[in-house]
Amino acid sequence: MAHPKTERTLVVIKPDGLQRTLAGEIIRRYERLGLKLVGMKFLVPTASHIEKHYNLDPNWKRIVGEKSIEAYQKKGLKPPSMDPIVLGDKVIDALQKYMTSGPVIAMVWQGAHAVKIVRKVTGGTEPLTSDVGTIRGDFVHDSYQMADTDGRAVRNLIHASGSVEEAENEIKHWFKKDELVSYRLVQEQILYDVNLDGLLE
Ligand code: GDP
Ligand code: MG
């Protein structure tokens, strides 16, 4: 089995992150965790790239649709459809519009528990309820209610892979193998070295 320190995750600073001039702040949050940046690109994604991204997991559309139906019902409202796939498609359409509206920065971060640690610091999907201290909780105030009323995607600055499997598929979707760099980061010794020899002169 590969050492846990080789775990990788995909992070995309969404167009609102760039427009809010938060790219440096966001990168700093991941950098200071001790994670290693192994890939990075600046681009305007195409609609088909985004559609494929959100269909990499065949269940994602249905799960988002089910969540959306539940949210309507909780508010005492009638969902526009009772078919989760129909609602999931609506979210994907909105995401295509959002994610292709301007440049994004796609990054791959590596380190032990990279997926979970990045999600923890990024915060929950809905900025209104994301924890204080997380990036989404600290820098934006959008909500499901506001986004659904206006028929758009929740603007939450960042995409971060939700599981190791999702990360592996998403990294392959965004980066060619030779766009990722294998290298040693000097701080890895203090993070992972078992013996910590070689520090004292
Ligand atoms: P994430 O992994 O935290 O980004 O959340 P998801 O994978 O569940 O959803 C992907 C993206 O779709 C989110 O980051 C939001 O931008 C958007 N989104 C998710 N659920 C909803 C929803 O119920 N309504 C709207 N309008 N947008 C949503
Ligand atoms: Mg997700």
Side-chain angles (χ1 to χ4, degrees), residues 14 60 67 95 119 125 136 144 147-148 152 154 156:
K14 294 177 173 179
W60 184 86
K67 196 187 67 181
L95 281 164
R119 289 283 285 201
T125 307
R136 286 166 169 171
Y144 286 134
D148 289 338
R152 59 167 177 77
V154 168
N156 53 12

Side-chain angles (χ1 to χ4, degrees), residues 9-92:
T9 192
L10 179 84
V11 173
V12 182
I13 305 180
K14 294 177 173 179
D16 52 332
L18 269 294
Q19 294 301 323
R20 297 276 315 280
T21 62
L22 288 169
E25 176 67 39
I26 290 168
I27 293 166
R28 186 179 77 105
R29 294 289 184 108
Y30 303 124
E31 198 175 30
R32 71 185 189 182
L33 290 169
L35 297 174
K36 174 163 71 178
L37 186 62
V38 295
M40 184 181 227
K41 57 171 79 167
F42 180 78
L43 71 156
V44 181
T46 62
S48 80
H49 185 77
I50 296 304
E51 193 204 350
K52 271 187 212 137
H53 168 92
Y54 285 108
N55 279 300
L56 288 172
D57 172 359
N59 295 317
W60 184 86
K61 200 195 294 194
R62 181 182 46 79
I63 293 166
V64 168
E66 284 168 358
K67 196 187 67 181
S68 182
I69 290 174
E70 215 176 281
Y72 274 105
Q73 289 172 335
K74 249 194 209 154
K75 282 181 254 162
L77 299 172
K78 191 172 168 278
S81 163
M82 283 309 285
D83 183 351
I85 299 295
V86 171
L87 286 184
D89 273 329
K90 267 185 197 282
V91 175
I92 292 189

